[in-house]
CSV table of all heavy atoms in Angstrom, one decimal:
chain,number,residue,atom,x,y,z
A,16,GLY,N,-17.8,-5.7,6.7
A,16,GLY,CA,-17.5,-6.8,5.7
A,16,GLY,C,-18.5,-6.9,4.6
A,16,GLY,O,-18.2,-7.2,3.5
A,18,VAL,N,-20.6,-9.3,3.9
A,18,VAL,CA,-20.4,-10.5,3.1
A,18,VAL,C,-21.6,-10.9,2.4
A,18,VAL,O,-21.6,-11.1,1.1
A,18,VAL,CB,-19.9,-11.6,4.0
A,18,VAL,CG1,-19.8,-12.9,3.3
A,18,VAL,CG2,-18.5,-11.3,4.6
A,87,GLY,N,-17.3,-20.6,1.6
A,87,GLY,CA,-17.6,-19.3,2.0
A,87,GLY,C,-16.4,-18.6,2.7
A,87,GLY,O,-16.2,-17.4,2.5
A,88,SER,N,-15.6,-19.4,3.4
A,88,SER,CA,-14.4,-18.8,4.0
A,88,SER,C,-13.4,-18.4,3.0
A,88,SER,O,-12.7,-17.4,3.2
A,88,SER,CB,-13.8,-19.7,5.0
A,88,SER,OG,-13.4,-20.9,4.4
A,89,ASP,N,-13.3,-19.1,1.9
A,89,ASP,CA,-12.4,-18.7,0.8
A,89,ASP,C,-12.8,-17.4,0.2
A,89,ASP,O,-12.0,-16.5,-0.1
A,89,ASP,CB,-12.4,-19.8,-0.3
A,89,ASP,CG,-11.8,-21.1,0.2
A,89,ASP,OD1,-11.0,-21.1,1.2
A,89,ASP,OD2,-12.1,-22.2,-0.4
A,90,VAL,N,-14.1,-17.3,-0.1
A,90,VAL,CA,-14.7,-16.1,-0.7
A,90,VAL,C,-14.4,-14.9,0.3
A,90,VAL,O,-14.0,-13.8,-0.1
A,90,VAL,CB,-16.2,-16.2,-1.0
A,90,VAL,CG1,-16.7,-14.9,-1.4
A,90,VAL,CG2,-16.4,-17.2,-2.1
A,91,ALA,N,-14.6,-15.1,1.6
A,91,ALA,CA,-14.4,-14.1,2.6
A,91,ALA,C,-13.0,-13.6,2.6
A,91,ALA,O,-12.7,-12.4,2.8
A,91,ALA,CB,-14.8,-14.6,4.0
A,92,GLN,N,-12.0,-14.5,2.4
A,92,GLN,CA,-10.6,-14.1,2.3
A,92,GLN,C,-10.3,-13.2,1.1
A,92,GLN,O,-9.6,-12.2,1.2
A,92,GLN,CB,-9.7,-15.3,2.3
A,92,GLN,CG,-9.6,-16.0,3.7
A,92,GLN,CD,-8.4,-17.0,3.8
A,92,GLN,OE1,-7.5,-17.0,2.9
A,92,GLN,NE2,-8.5,-17.8,4.8
A,93,LEU,N,-10.9,-13.5,0.0
A,93,LEU,CA,-10.8,-12.6,-1.2
A,93,LEU,C,-11.4,-11.3,-0.9
A,93,LEU,O,-10.9,-10.3,-1.3
A,93,LEU,CB,-11.3,-13.3,-2.4
A,93,LEU,CG,-10.5,-14.6,-2.9
A,93,LEU,CD1,-11.2,-15.3,-4.0
A,93,LEU,CD2,-9.1,-14.2,-3.3
A,94,MET,N,-12.6,-11.3,-0.3
A,94,MET,CA,-13.3,-10.0,0.0
A,94,MET,C,-12.4,-9.2,1.0
A,94,MET,O,-12.3,-8.0,0.8
A,94,MET,CB,-14.6,-10.3,0.7
A,94,MET,CG,-15.7,-10.9,-0.2
A,94,MET,SD,-17.2,-11.1,0.6
A,94,MET,CE,-18.3,-11.8,-0.7
A,95,LEU,N,-11.7,-9.9,1.9
A,95,LEU,CA,-10.8,-9.2,2.8
A,95,LEU,C,-9.7,-8.5,2.0
A,95,LEU,O,-9.3,-7.4,2.3
A,95,LEU,CB,-10.2,-10.2,3.8
A,95,LEU,CG,-9.1,-9.7,4.7
A,95,LEU,CD1,-9.5,-8.6,5.6
A,95,LEU,CD2,-8.5,-10.9,5.5
A,105,LEU,N,-7.6,-0.4,7.3
A,105,LEU,CA,-7.9,-1.8,7.7
A,105,LEU,C,-6.7,-2.7,7.5
A,105,LEU,O,-6.3,-3.5,8.3
A,105,LEU,CB,-9.1,-2.3,7.0
A,105,LEU,CG,-9.4,-3.8,7.2
A,105,LEU,CD1,-9.8,-4.1,8.7
A,105,LEU,CD2,-10.6,-4.3,6.3
A,109,ILE,N,-4.7,-4.6,10.5
A,109,ILE,CA,-4.5,-6.1,10.6
A,109,ILE,C,-3.0,-6.4,10.7
A,109,ILE,O,-2.6,-7.3,11.5
A,109,ILE,CB,-5.1,-6.7,9.4
A,109,ILE,CG1,-6.6,-6.6,9.4
A,109,ILE,CG2,-4.7,-8.2,9.3
A,109,ILE,CD1,-7.4,-7.1,8.2
A,113,TYR,N,-3.5,-6.7,14.7
A,113,TYR,CA,-4.0,-8.1,14.8
A,113,TYR,C,-2.9,-9.2,14.7
A,113,TYR,O,-2.8,-10.0,15.6
A,113,TYR,CB,-5.0,-8.4,13.6
A,113,TYR,CG,-5.4,-9.8,13.5
A,113,TYR,CD1,-6.5,-10.2,14.3
A,113,TYR,CD2,-4.8,-10.7,12.7
A,113,TYR,CE1,-6.9,-11.6,14.2
A,113,TYR,CE2,-5.2,-12.1,12.7
A,113,TYR,CZ,-6.2,-12.5,13.4
A,113,TYR,OH,-6.6,-13.8,13.4
A,114,TRP,N,-2.0,-9.1,13.7
A,114,TRP,CA,-1.0,-10.1,13.6
A,114,TRP,C,0.1,-10.0,14.7
A,114,TRP,O,0.7,-11.0,15.1
A,114,TRP,CB,-0.4,-10.1,12.2
A,114,TRP,CG,-1.3,-10.8,11.2
A,114,TRP,CD1,-1.9,-10.2,10.1
A,114,TRP,CD2,-1.7,-12.2,11.2
A,114,TRP,NE1,-2.6,-11.1,9.4
A,114,TRP,CE2,-2.5,-12.3,10.0
A,114,TRP,CE3,-1.4,-13.3,12.0
A,114,TRP,CZ2,-3.1,-13.5,9.7
A,114,TRP,CZ3,-1.9,-14.5,11.6
A,114,TRP,CH2,-2.8,-14.6,10.5
A,117,TYR,N,-1.6,-11.7,17.6
A,117,TYR,CA,-1.6,-13.1,17.2
A,117,TYR,C,-0.3,-13.8,17.5
A,117,TYR,O,-0.2,-14.8,18.2
A,117,TYR,CB,-2.0,-13.3,15.8
A,117,TYR,CG,-2.4,-14.6,15.3
A,117,TYR,CD1,-3.8,-14.9,15.0
A,117,TYR,CD2,-1.5,-15.7,15.1
A,117,TYR,CE1,-4.1,-16.2,14.5
A,117,TYR,CE2,-1.9,-16.9,14.7
A,117,TYR,CZ,-3.2,-17.2,14.4
A,117,TYR,OH,-3.5,-18.4,13.9
A,158,LEU,N,-13.1,-1.2,12.7
A,158,LEU,CA,-11.9,-2.1,12.4
A,158,LEU,C,-12.1,-3.5,13.0
A,158,LEU,O,-11.9,-4.5,12.3
A,158,LEU,CB,-10.7,-1.4,12.9
A,158,LEU,CG,-10.2,-0.1,12.2
A,158,LEU,CD1,-9.1,0.6,12.9
A,158,LEU,CD2,-9.8,-0.5,10.8
A,159,THR,N,-12.4,-3.6,14.2
A,159,THR,CA,-12.6,-4.9,14.9
A,159,THR,C,-13.8,-5.6,14.3
A,159,THR,O,-13.8,-6.8,14.1
A,159,THR,CB,-12.7,-4.8,16.4
A,159,THR,OG1,-13.7,-3.9,16.8
A,159,THR,CG2,-11.4,-4.2,17.0
A,160,GLY,N,-14.9,-4.8,14.0
A,160,GLY,CA,-16.1,-5.5,13.4
A,160,GLY,C,-15.8,-6.0,12.1
A,160,GLY,O,-16.3,-7.1,11.7
A,161,CYS,N,-15.0,-5.3,11.3
A,161,CYS,CA,-14.7,-5.8,9.9
A,161,CYS,C,-13.9,-7.1,10.0
A,161,CYS,O,-14.1,-8.0,9.3
A,161,CYS,CB,-14.0,-4.7,9.2
A,161,CYS,SG,-14.1,-4.9,7.4
A,162,CYS,N,-12.9,-7.1,10.9
A,162,CYS,CA,-12.1,-8.3,11.1
A,162,CYS,C,-13.0,-9.5,11.5
A,162,CYS,O,-12.8,-10.6,11.1
A,162,CYS,CB,-11.1,-8.1,12.2
A,162,CYS,SG,-9.7,-7.0,11.7
A,163,ALA,N,-14.0,-9.2,12.3
A,163,ALA,CA,-15.0,-10.3,12.7
A,163,ALA,C,-15.7,-10.8,11.5
A,163,ALA,O,-16.0,-12.0,11.3
A,163,ALA,CB,-15.9,-9.8,13.8
A,164,ASP,N,-16.2,-9.9,10.6
A,164,ASP,CA,-16.9,-10.3,9.5
A,164,ASP,C,-16.1,-11.2,8.6
A,164,ASP,O,-16.7,-12.1,7.9
A,164,ASP,CB,-17.4,-9.0,8.7
A,164,ASP,CG,-18.5,-8.3,9.3
A,164,ASP,OD1,-19.1,-8.8,10.2
A,164,ASP,OD2,-18.8,-7.1,8.9
A,165,TYR,N,-14.8,-11.0,8.5
A,165,TYR,CA,-14.0,-11.8,7.6
A,165,TYR,C,-13.3,-13.0,8.3
A,165,TYR,O,-12.4,-13.6,7.7
A,165,TYR,CB,-12.9,-10.9,7.0
A,165,TYR,CG,-13.5,-9.9,6.0
A,165,TYR,CD1,-13.2,-8.6,6.0
A,165,TYR,CD2,-14.5,-10.3,5.0
A,165,TYR,CE1,-13.7,-7.7,5.1
A,165,TYR,CE2,-15.0,-9.4,4.1
A,165,TYR,CZ,-14.7,-8.1,4.2
A,165,TYR,OH,-15.2,-7.2,3.2
A,166,GLY,N,-13.6,-13.2,9.5
A,166,GLY,CA,-13.2,-14.5,10.2
A,166,GLY,C,-11.9,-14.4,11.0
A,166,GLY,O,-11.4,-15.4,11.4
A,167,LEU,N,-11.4,-13.2,11.2
A,167,LEU,CA,-10.2,-13.0,12.0
A,167,LEU,C,-10.5,-12.9,13.5
A,167,LEU,O,-9.6,-13.4,14.3
A,167,LEU,CB,-9.4,-11.8,11.6
A,167,LEU,CG,-8.7,-11.8,10.2
A,167,LEU,CD1,-9.6,-11.4,9.1
A,167,LEU,CD2,-7.5,-10.9,10.2
A,168,LEU,N,-11.6,-12.4,13.8
A,168,LEU,CA,-12.0,-12.2,15.2
A,168,LEU,C,-13.4,-12.8,15.4
A,168,LEU,O,-14.2,-12.9,14.4
A,168,LEU,CB,-12.0,-10.8,15.6
A,168,LEU,CG,-10.7,-10.0,15.6
A,168,LEU,CD1,-10.9,-8.5,15.9
A,168,LEU,CD2,-9.7,-10.6,16.6
A,169,GLU,N,-13.8,-13.1,16.6
A,169,GLU,CA,-15.2,-13.6,16.8
A,169,GLU,C,-16.2,-12.5,16.6
A,169,GLU,O,-15.9,-11.3,16.7
A,169,GLU,CB,-15.3,-14.2,18.2
A,169,GLU,CG,-15.2,-13.1,19.3
A,169,GLU,CD,-15.4,-13.7,20.7
A,169,GLU,OE1,-16.1,-14.7,20.8
A,169,GLU,OE2,-14.9,-13.1,21.7
A,170,ARG,N,-17.4,-13.0,16.2
A,170,ARG,CA,-18.5,-12.0,15.9
A,170,ARG,C,-19.2,-11.7,17.1
A,170,ARG,O,-19.0,-12.2,18.2
A,170,ARG,CB,-19.4,-12.7,14.8
A,170,ARG,CG,-18.7,-13.0,13.5
A,170,ARG,CD,-19.7,-13.7,12.6
A,170,ARG,NE,-20.8,-12.8,12.2
A,170,ARG,CZ,-20.8,-12.0,11.2
A,170,ARG,NH1,-19.7,-11.9,10.4
A,170,ARG,NH2,-21.8,-11.2,10.9
A,176,ARG,N,-12.7,-8.8,21.3
A,176,ARG,CA,-13.1,-10.0,20.6
A,176,ARG,C,-12.0,-11.0,20.6
A,176,ARG,O,-10.8,-10.7,20.5
A,176,ARG,CB,-13.4,-9.6,19.1
A,176,ARG,CG,-14.6,-8.6,18.9
A,176,ARG,CD,-14.7,-8.2,17.5
A,176,ARG,NE,-15.6,-7.2,17.3
A,176,ARG,CZ,-16.9,-7.4,16.9
A,176,ARG,NH1,-17.3,-8.6,16.8
A,176,ARG,NH2,-17.7,-6.3,16.7
A,177,ARG,N,-12.4,-12.3,20.7
A,177,ARG,CA,-11.4,-13.4,20.7
A,177,ARG,C,-10.7,-13.5,19.3
A,177,ARG,O,-11.4,-13.5,18.3
A,177,ARG,CB,-12.1,-14.7,21.1
A,177,ARG,CG,-11.2,-15.9,21.3
A,177,ARG,CD,-11.9,-17.0,22.0
A,177,ARG,NE,-13.2,-17.3,21.3
A,177,ARG,CZ,-13.3,-18.2,20.3
A,177,ARG,NH1,-12.3,-18.9,19.9
A,177,ARG,NH2,-14.5,-18.4,19.8
A,178,ILE,N,-9.4,-13.7,19.3
A,178,ILE,CA,-8.7,-14.0,18.0
A,178,ILE,C,-9.0,-15.4,17.6
A,178,ILE,O,-8.9,-16.4,18.4
A,178,ILE,CB,-7.2,-13.8,18.3
A,178,ILE,CG1,-6.9,-12.3,18.6
A,178,ILE,CG2,-6.4,-14.3,17.0
A,178,ILE,CD1,-5.4,-12.1,19.0
A,179,LEU,N,-9.4,-15.6,16.3
A,179,LEU,CA,-9.7,-16.9,15.7
A,179,LEU,C,-8.5,-17.4,14.9
A,179,LEU,O,-7.7,-16.6,14.4
A,179,LEU,CB,-10.9,-16.8,14.8
A,179,LEU,CG,-12.2,-16.3,15.5
A,179,LEU,CD1,-13.3,-16.2,14.5
A,179,LEU,CD2,-12.6,-17.2,16.7
A,180,PRO,N,-8.3,-18.7,14.8
A,180,PRO,CA,-7.3,-19.2,14.0
A,180,PRO,C,-7.5,-18.8,12.5
A,180,PRO,O,-8.7,-18.9,12.0
A,180,PRO,CB,-7.5,-20.8,14.1
A,180,PRO,CG,-8.2,-20.9,15.4
A,180,PRO,CD,-9.1,-19.8,15.6
A,181,PHE,N,-6.5,-18.3,11.9
A,181,PHE,CA,-6.7,-17.7,10.5
A,181,PHE,C,-5.5,-18.1,9.7
A,181,PHE,O,-4.4,-17.7,10.1
A,181,PHE,CB,-6.9,-16.2,10.6
A,181,PHE,CG,-7.3,-15.6,9.3
A,181,PHE,CD1,-8.6,-15.6,8.9
A,181,PHE,CD2,-6.4,-14.9,8.5
A,181,PHE,CE1,-9.0,-15.0,7.7
A,181,PHE,CE2,-6.7,-14.3,7.3
A,181,PHE,CZ,-8.1,-14.4,6.9
A,182,ARG,N,-5.7,-18.7,8.6
A,182,ARG,CA,-4.6,-19.1,7.7
A,182,ARG,C,-5.1,-18.9,6.2
A,182,ARG,O,-6.2,-19.3,5.9
A,182,ARG,CB,-4.2,-20.5,7.9
A,182,ARG,CG,-3.0,-21.0,7.0
A,182,ARG,CD,-2.6,-22.4,7.3
A,182,ARG,NE,-1.6,-22.8,6.5
A,182,ARG,CZ,-0.3,-22.5,6.6
A,182,ARG,NH1,0.1,-21.8,7.7
A,182,ARG,NH2,0.6,-23.0,5.8
A,183,ILE,N,-4.2,-18.4,5.4
A,183,ILE,CA,-4.6,-18.2,4.0
A,183,ILE,C,-5.0,-19.5,3.3
A,183,ILE,O,-4.4,-20.5,3.6
A,183,ILE,CB,-3.5,-17.5,3.2
A,183,ILE,CG1,-4.0,-17.0,1.9
A,183,ILE,CG2,-2.3,-18.5,3.0
A,183,ILE,CD1,-3.0,-16.1,1.2
A,213,LEU,N,-1.2,-9.1,5.0
A,213,LEU,CA,-2.6,-9.2,5.4
A,213,LEU,C,-3.0,-10.6,6.0
A,213,LEU,O,-3.8,-10.7,6.8
A,213,LEU,CB,-3.5,-8.9,4.2
A,213,LEU,CG,-5.0,-8.7,4.4
A,213,LEU,CD1,-5.3,-7.5,5.3
A,213,LEU,CD2,-5.7,-8.5,3.0
A,214,PHE,N,-2.3,-11.6,5.5
A,214,PHE,CA,-2.5,-13.0,5.9
A,214,PHE,C,-1.4,-13.5,6.9
A,214,PHE,O,-1.3,-14.7,7.1
A,214,PHE,CB,-2.6,-13.9,4.7
A,214,PHE,CG,-3.7,-13.5,3.8
A,214,PHE,CD1,-3.5,-12.7,2.7
A,214,PHE,CD2,-5.0,-14.0,4.0
A,214,PHE,CE1,-4.5,-12.3,1.8
A,214,PHE,CE2,-6.0,-13.6,3.2
A,214,PHE,CZ,-5.8,-12.8,2.1
Side-chain angles (χ1 to χ4, degrees):
V18 174
S88 60
D89 294 337
V90 173
Q92 288 196 10
L93 291 173
M94 290 182 181
L95 170 63
L105 176 63
I109 293 173
Y113 174 85
W114 283 114
Y117 191 110
L158 290 170
T159 56
C161 204
C162 287
D164 284 348
Y165 291 133
L167 290 84
L168 298 173
E169 68 178 334
R170 297 177 65 87
R176 301 173 187 266
R177 184 167 53 90
I178 294 173
L179 300 179
F181 189 80
R182 181 177 178 82
I183 194 170
L213 187 63
F214 299 95

